[in-house]
């Protein structure tokens, strides 16, 4: 089974779990058993049926113009979020659509990447997700059929931002690991009673700087911490100017998603306004959306 884990930023207020308002609007809190060593909370979103966006496309090619089979197509979206407190740290374990309840600005960036980089043997890598900072700024996901050495992934450290690493962790920790802003572990079996030990292992890996010896290029590019409000404000103002002027010195990076999911569209929002974007998120489509009033 797979576990997907976020780490809430340590600088947030004590009662802030980094969750969006939907956790109150669409989720129900469920009482949980007590597990020594951890603070737990559980939020559940029951399935809500919706019509697939591509239903009408299928009707165009169906011989029967109002096919009951196609009309009967439905999506169901269940989700769950488990709040976990351990040794002063806050984590969110998500299932299904539960990841959409997490506020992306309130999680520790690179949390999973740093854990994975400290655990994966550089000779036992399986895949990488990069973004190139020159040229067209191409996103690239490289996966290998079996684990292998770093050089086979073709990373160019001076121009590629590494957003996710996938590989084989030490025996006994997990059978597979993918790390980016989130940490995804593949386990043969899992019990919530094992959480304290597993979280201690994860925290130790996160706090380690061993990756600097094996994957030093991870620090070639640095995100500005959101706790630096003054610098963030200055950068945001400058970026706003560049976007409005359609500057070629600014580009856009697709947000990190679950490694098993590829989004079919993005939505740019400003207040109540929104513009859907099909396909790749790049400078041309974003500046066009901005010019149209987003």
């Amino acid at each position: 089974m797979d576990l997907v884990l976020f780490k809430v930023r340590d600088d947030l207020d004590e009662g802030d779990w980094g969750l969006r308002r939907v956790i109150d609007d669409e989720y129900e809190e469920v009482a949980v058993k007590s597990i020594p060593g951890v603070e737990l909370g559980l939020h559940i979103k029951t399935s809500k049926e919706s019509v697939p966006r591509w239903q009408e496309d299928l009707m165009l090619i169906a011989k029967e113009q109002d096919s009951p089979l196609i009309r009967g197509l439905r999506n169901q979206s269940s989700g769950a979020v488990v709040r976990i407190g351990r040794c002063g740290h806050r984590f969110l374990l998500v299932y299904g659509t539960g990841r959409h309840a997490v506020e992306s600005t309130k999680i520790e960036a690179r949390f999973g990447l740093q854990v994975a980089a400290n655990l994966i043997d550089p000779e036992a890598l399986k895949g990488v997700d990069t973004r190139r900072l020159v040229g067209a700024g191409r996103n690239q996901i490289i996966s290998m059929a079996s684990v292998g050495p770093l050089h086979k992934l073709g990373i160019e450290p001076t121009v590629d931002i590494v957003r996710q690493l996938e590989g084989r962790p030490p025996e006994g920790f997990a059978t597979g690991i993918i790390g980016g802003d989130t940490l995804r572990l593949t386990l043969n079996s899992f019990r919530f009673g094992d959480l304290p030990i597993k979280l201690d292992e994860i925290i130790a890996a996160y706090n380690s700087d061993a990756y600097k010896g094996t994957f030093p290029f991870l620090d070639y590019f640095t995100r500005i911490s959101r706790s630096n409000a003054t610098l963030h404000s200055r950068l945001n103002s400058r970026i706003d100017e560049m976007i409005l002027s359609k500057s070629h010195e600014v580009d856009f990076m697709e947000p990190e998603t679950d490694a098993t999911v590829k989004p079919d569209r993005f939505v740019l929002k400003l207040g109540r306004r929104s513009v859907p974007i099909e396909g790749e998120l790049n400078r041309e489509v974003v500046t066009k959306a901005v010019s149209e009033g987003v």
Side-chain angles (χ1 to χ4, degrees):
M1 67 176 299
D2 286 350
L3 299 180
V4 180
L5 195 68
F6 293 83
K7 185 178 187 302
V8 180
R9 283 168 39 203
D10 290 333
D11 63 318
L12 297 184
D13 293 340
E14 184 177 350
D16 191 340
W17 281 89
L19 295 167
R20 298 170 55 217
R21 287 184 57 182
V22 294
I23 206 70
D24 296 319
D25 299 339
E26 301 177 12
Y27 286 72
E28 296 288 339
E29 188 163 5
V30 178
V32 294
K33 298 178 180 179
S34 176
I35 297 178
V38 292
E39 173 191 349
L40 287 178
L42 173 60
H43 303 266
I44 297 289
K45 177 184 177 181
T46 55
S47 295
K48 182 178 180 180
E49 288 192 350
S50 62
V51 177
R53 294 176 59 245
W54 36 265
Q55 184 190 66
E56 291 300 324
D57 295 338
L58 300 185
M59 293 300 297
L60 296 175
I61 62 171
K63 187 174 182 179
E64 186 178 349
Q65 292 301 306
D66 198 30
S67 168
L69 287 176
I70 298 178
R71 286 295 180 199
L73 289 170
R74 293 292 184 273
N75 286 327
Q76 288 189 327
S77 55
S78 297
V81 178
V82 183
R83 295 183 284 108
I84 308 169
R86 172 70 173 170
C87 298
H89 298 283
R90 286 162 287 178
F91 300 91
L92 298 170
L93 180 62
V94 298
Y95 295 88
T97 59
R99 65 179 299 120
H100 301 305
V102 179
E103 176 55 68
S104 61
T105 63
K106 294 186 175 183
I107 64 169
E108 291 285 1
R110 296 202 342 160
F111 157 63
L113 180 64
Q114 194 157 314
V115 172
N118 279 315
L119 293 173
I120 298 175
D121 185 324
E123 299 295 312
L125 286 161
K126 185 79 184 297
V128 65
D129 180 347
T130 65
R131 172 65 186 237
R132 183 148 296 187
L133 292 182
V134 297
R138 178 185 59 184
N139 289 337
Q140 187 173 22
I141 299 176
I142 303 170
S143 296
M144 298 191 292
S146 58
V147 295
L150 175 63
H151 69 82
K152 285 192 174 182
L153 293 174
I155 300 171
E156 295 187 31
T158 58
V159 294
D160 289 337
I161 294 179
V162 176
R163 304 203 297 171
Q164 286 186 340
L165 281 177
E166 178 181 2
R168 185 174 61 205
E171 187 175 351
F173 181 83
T175 58
I177 185 171
I178 301 175
D181 286 346
T182 61
L183 178 67
R184 186 183 188 97
L185 300 179
T186 301
L187 303 168
N188 287 329
S189 60
F190 172 73
R191 296 187 310 114
F192 275 94
D194 297 332
L195 266 178
I197 295 175
K198 184 58 64 181
L199 288 175
D200 287 347
E201 294 174 340
I202 290 171
I203 293 168
Y206 177 66
N207 289 331
S208 172
D209 62 0
Y211 75 91
K212 295 179 182 294
T214 50
F215 304 107
F217 52 84
L218 295 181
D219 291 336
Y220 286 4
F221 306 99
T222 304
R223 295 188 191 183
I224 304 299
S225 172
R226 291 188 177 273
S227 61
N228 192 336
T230 301
L231 182 54
H232 257 271
S233 178
R234 288 171 54 197
L235 290 174
N236 283 336
S237 296
R238 176 58 181 144
I239 290 170
D240 286 347
E241 294 173 5
M242 296 171 73
I243 293 174
L244 291 172
S245 66
K246 300 184 180 180
S247 170
H248 287 275
E249 295 180 358
V250 64
D251 209 336
F252 301 88
M253 184 182 297
E254 291 186 4
E256 180 187 314
T257 58
D258 192 309
T260 62
V261 176
K262 179 65 176 176
D264 60 1
R265 66 171 178 161
F266 298 95
V267 178
L268 298 184
K269 291 188 175 182
L270 178 62
R272 295 183 178 181
R273 300 177 183 175
S274 63
V275 172
I277 292 179
E278 308 288 343
E280 185 181 359
L281 193 67
N282 56 42
R283 180 174 55 245
E284 287 71 24
V285 296
V286 173
T287 53
K288 182 175 184 293
V290 170
S291 67
E292 292 175 353
V294 176

